[in-house]
Amino acid sequence: MASFDDVIHKAFFRIGLVIHRFRLFFLIGSLLLTAFACYGFVWFEQLTTKDPQFVFSPKDAPWRFERAVLSEHWPLDEEKFWPGRSYDLHGYVDVIAAGRRHAEFGRPNILNIRYLDEVARINDYIVHNLTIPIDIDGKPFEVSYTDLCMRYDWACYLNDHITMLMPKSRWGNFSGAIAQFATDIINTQVNITYPIGWRGSEPIYFGALVGAPNLVDPEGHFDYASALRLTYNTREQKVGNISYAWRKKLTRWLTDKENPVSEILEFGVNHNESLPEGLQDVADTLTPKFAGTCTILFTFCFIVSVVLKKHANGMIAVDWVRSKPLVAAAGLCTPLLATATSFGLILWCGELYNAIVNVSPFLILCIGIDDLFIMSAEWHRTKPQHSPARRIGETLSEAAVAISITSFTDITTFAVGCYTTLPGVRMFCLYTCVQCFFVYFFQLTFFAPILAYAAEMEAANRHALLLRKAVDPTKTESKWRILLLSGSVNRNQKAKPVQKICPVTKEETAVGWGSKLSHVMRKLEAKLEQHDNTEVSTEEETLVNKIFREIVGPFILETSTKICAGLLYLVYIVVAIAGIVNLKEGLDPKLLVRENFYLSTFYQIIDETFWREGLQMQVVVNSPPDLFNKASRAKFEEMMRAFEGTYYTMESNATMFWLRAYERHLKTEKDELHIGLPETSEEWYQRCRDWILVAGGRRMWTLDMLWGNTTEDFHELKAFRFQLGLRNYRTPADHTNSCKMIRAIAASFPQYNVTTFHEYYPFADQYLELKPSLVQNFSLDLVTILLVSLVMIPEWRCAVAIVLSIASINVGVLGFMSFWGVNLDSVSIITIIMCIGFAVDLSAHISYAFSQGYGTPHARAVQALETLGWPVFLGASSTVLGILLLVLVDSYIVQIFFKTVFLVIIFSMLHGLLFLPILLMLTTKSRPRKDPENEVNGTEMS
């Protein structure tokens, strides 16, 4: 009974015969399929998603529910808007103004009147003079911020804190009797303190407005700050694109580096489209790099495809019959066709696109080039005297099986990644999985037909580029004709071996680098040519095959080399484990954009200032207790102390809470107006709702409380919220730990049904999902790779060796990337999943070649290196060349891609060409050669 291995070899041999016979049909069909699929790009804009919260956060992440709670209780009202109280708005521009950094003294004091005047000037210009032209019914208008702003009681928020921070003499031009009255109000009713100041009974949260202040007393007065925060909130529901155009103009104006708006200030600008624009900016930089990568790889493949021939007159020239530059071009076009077809068909199916998948074509290009080298290597192992059809069949019989193993494992690896909870990872895996499938598909339907045409050209002794008959070098004396037009002829008959062994003379052993090098080269030539004189095989063998068989293979498998390899592996695995122990988690938002993108400045300044202290977190109490009841109140205060007593939250003086303002009001009424305190719960809530109508901070407090709407529950508090001040909130680890801690506190008081939310929760939820997602994908990938390998490779030990090699490679990548400044985040998880594909390619090729070898384990290991050692090396080298240009992109995402792929290629080469052959030799048995009668006979192959 034939084994699966025999069946698949014979099947691909027959497929090769069919492809050779109908090569034109397959070639045209492939191009038509790509043309049809590319119509899907019609929906490209419609299906493009730029929302980073969707891409980088789990689809069922808790923050989605938490933000929905806020939106349900307090939906956005553009005519009743207060900054910092809504998180589902889109029409905002967040500006941080800071003095330009001094080389020695750092940031200047933004409270210096010179800087405050400059901030005020720019703010006034933005509010009143920064306009965009619009056309309404054929009439031109200029629209300013005051026409577009969100309002409360018909008034825009105009960053009044700029005036409040100036000397009080600058607050207004008062004279006469009103001057003393105004002075009394300014001195008694206005208090500029950090983190909360007061304007009468209305609180002002300076923690979100003043960055990194220097406090001079316990009350919170400050005399220094490094930055000021300005906000501009525009409506969208009625003005739409007009608002977007104004925000874009404001961003361009403030971030113009050629014509800066101020000589003493710099601005960090962020709006709802900034991060998506930054990600798209990264994607746009990849396009020219991809073109450059294609050029480099084509040059590399062209050079590798060239076969040199030494002529009778001693001249070395290109053999234009055996060289395959058109095949090299086809090998490069194959992944390009696969990418275009895959993207088009996925868009046809209505799947979303994001710029993060733009790195996948680099991967697919390298996989396609790797397959090219495998096919070319197997082609050169066929016998020139056989017919082109048979040679194509034999090539596919060997190469297509090896390619099938890696393709199926790549496809299943990325298919498993599609089931992750991280949308960005799922999106990338989907696009890459389909591309891997079409790379494999086009290897058979596009590349193989091109190879078939090249086989016919070689059989007819035609020039590989000019398509005409090549010049017989024995019939011309023109060196130019030999150099540019000649090629092998009459190759259907085995030429007699030519004696090239040169004896080594004593003179050549003389001391001197030139003599030593000549001596070594002659010995190498003698060793290789001895094989040519003794072997009777008529395979079209290349020099590198001989080098791997006679030099590299025996050297690697020597006892001393194996001992050194064992020690090297021990060092490798220890260092890798140490790196994994110290691996950091989380993707810092500031690393998502290029360093020269304007959003980078915003993240830099906010990291110096407001991320240290001052941000606010929303806490919603969905099931309020009876706040009048002493026992309920004591339990509630216990929760408040828990929230305000953590490493990541500021103390109670930074909590914006209507309850404390109301209780101060009740105390003031008792002390100054002699009005007694409420005696019942009903009275307490009734007076609270009445207080809201007259309180100085009523606009804010109204947006924090949810009352009943009917007569029966008019004085019933359904839900309320308060804001906690945050500190130590700088790194991804801080975001994650703070999120876990705050949610844990909320969960410990289930009777209140507490919901917490911060705008960085989407990133924190991503961090929390990283390790489970990585473990899940890695485990499932190894299982699927093992199953595919067991089916495709006839020897189970070789299949297990592939899995062990991949596991070892990925352990090394995870460990060493921590030493290279790469964190564990959704982007690096994508590249790690990609790296599994790379690791599969190199390891599977060597293991498969080993399984096909005969003789002792040592002989089989040498045969594996001889057969696919050079193609594996070329594939790895082409991958490094393919990603080399990415070093020039100043983007963390792209740098992660480069670093992880570089690591996996280096480690895959180390495993594939050193550790894996040694492991296979030590764990496998001898394999006797098959009976020739059981092999595919010549009549089937004709």
Side-chain angles (χ1 to χ4, degrees), residues 363 572 806 809-810 812-813 820 831-832 834-840 842 876 879-880 883 897-911:
L363 164 67
Y572 161 82
I806 294 169
I809 291 169
N810 280 273
V813 172
W820 209 350
T831 55
I832 290 170
M834 284 172 35
C835 290
I836 294 175
F838 279 122
V840 167
L842 275 67
T879 301
V880 173
I883 63 173
F897 177 80
F898 170 77
K899 290 176 180 179
T900 50
V901 173
F902 182 82
L903 285 175
V904 78
I905 291 303
I906 297 301
F907 295 153
S908 294
M909 288 180 62
L910 187 64
H911 282 70

Side-chain angles (χ1 to χ4, degrees), residues 777-853:
N777 280 280
F778 189 62
S779 302
L780 291 176
D781 287 341
L782 289 183
V783 171
T784 55
I785 290 169
L786 178 59
L787 293 177
V788 172
S789 300
L790 288 173
V791 172
M792 301 293 292
I793 296 179
E795 191 167 348
W796 68 268
R797 292 181 181 86
C798 295
V800 172
I802 294 175
V803 176
L804 294 176
S805 177
I806 294 169
S808 176
I809 291 169
N810 280 273
V811 167
V813 172
L814 278 172
F816 279 80
M817 77 181 191
S818 68
F819 296 117
W820 209 350
V822 179
N823 292 352
L824 182 62
D825 51 51
S826 57
V827 177
S828 60
I829 283 182
I830 287 174
T831 55
I832 290 170
I833 294 174
M834 284 172 35
C835 290
I836 294 175
F838 279 122
V840 167
D841 284 0
L842 275 67
S843 300
H845 288 322
I846 295 297
S847 289
Y848 173 75
F850 183 93
S851 70
Q852 298 299 299

Side-chain angles (χ1 to χ4, degrees), residues 667-817:
K667 187 176 185 302
T668 300
E669 283 189 332
K670 179 184 178 182
D671 295 342
E672 298 179 3
L673 303 177
H674 306 291
I675 299 175
L677 297 176
E679 297 181 355
T680 65
S681 177
E682 291 76 10
E683 182 185 358
W684 191 93
Y685 281 101
Q686 182 176 352
R687 288 175 64 177
C688 179
R689 185 147 196 184
D690 294 340
W691 164 73
I692 289 296
L693 299 177
V694 297
R698 66 181 183 276
R699 295 182 297 180
M700 243 189 310
W701 303 141
T702 301
L703 296 175
D704 284 346
M705 307 165 75
L706 187 64
W707 296 89
N709 293 322
T710 65
T711 304
E712 291 76 13
D713 63 359
F714 187 75
H715 293 103
E716 181 179 345
L717 189 60
K718 301 292 186 180
F720 64 85
R721 65 178 171 178
F722 56 89
Q723 292 79 36
L724 293 172
L726 296 177
R727 58 175 179 159
N728 303 321
Y729 207 68
R730 298 182 61 191
T731 67
D734 294 333
H735 299 164
T736 305
N737 295 333
S738 171
C739 177
K740 292 168 63 177
M741 183 180 295
I742 295 297
R743 283 174 176 168
I745 294 173
S748 64
F749 295 90
Q751 65 271 34
Y752 302 139
N753 188 16
V754 178
T755 301
T756 63
F757 181 76
H758 186 266
E759 57 188 304
Y760 289 110
Y761 266 19
F763 295 100
D765 281 333
Q766 175 213 143
Y767 310 151
L768 293 171
E769 189 66 25
L770 291 177
K771 281 187 177 178
S773 179
L774 178 61
V775 172
Q776 170 188 312
N777 280 280
F778 189 62
S779 302
L780 291 176
D781 287 341
L782 289 183
V783 171
T784 55
I785 290 169
L786 178 59
L787 293 177
V788 172
S789 300
L790 288 173
V791 172
M792 301 293 292
I793 296 179
E795 191 167 348
W796 68 268
R797 292 181 181 86
C798 295
V800 172
I802 294 175
V803 176
L804 294 176
S805 177
I806 294 169
S808 176
I809 291 169
N810 280 273
V811 167
V813 172
L814 278 172
F816 279 80
M817 77 181 191

Side-chain angles (χ1 to χ4, degrees), residues 261-290:
V261 299
S262 173
E263 295 181 355
I264 61 175
L265 296 177
E266 67 174 329
F267 298 91
V269 183
N270 179 31
H271 58 84
N272 61 299
E273 293 289 336
S274 292
L275 190 51
E277 287 176 359
L279 294 172
Q280 188 60 48
D281 175 66
V282 173
D284 293 341
T285 61
L286 293 177
T287 302
K289 301 298 184 294
F290 187 72

Side-chain angles (χ1 to χ4, degrees), residues 851-872:
S851 70
Q852 298 299 299
Y854 298 100
T856 64
H858 183 282
R860 297 173 69 187
V862 172
Q863 291 172 36
L865 291 172
E866 173 196 355
T867 304
L868 292 181
W870 180 242
V872 163

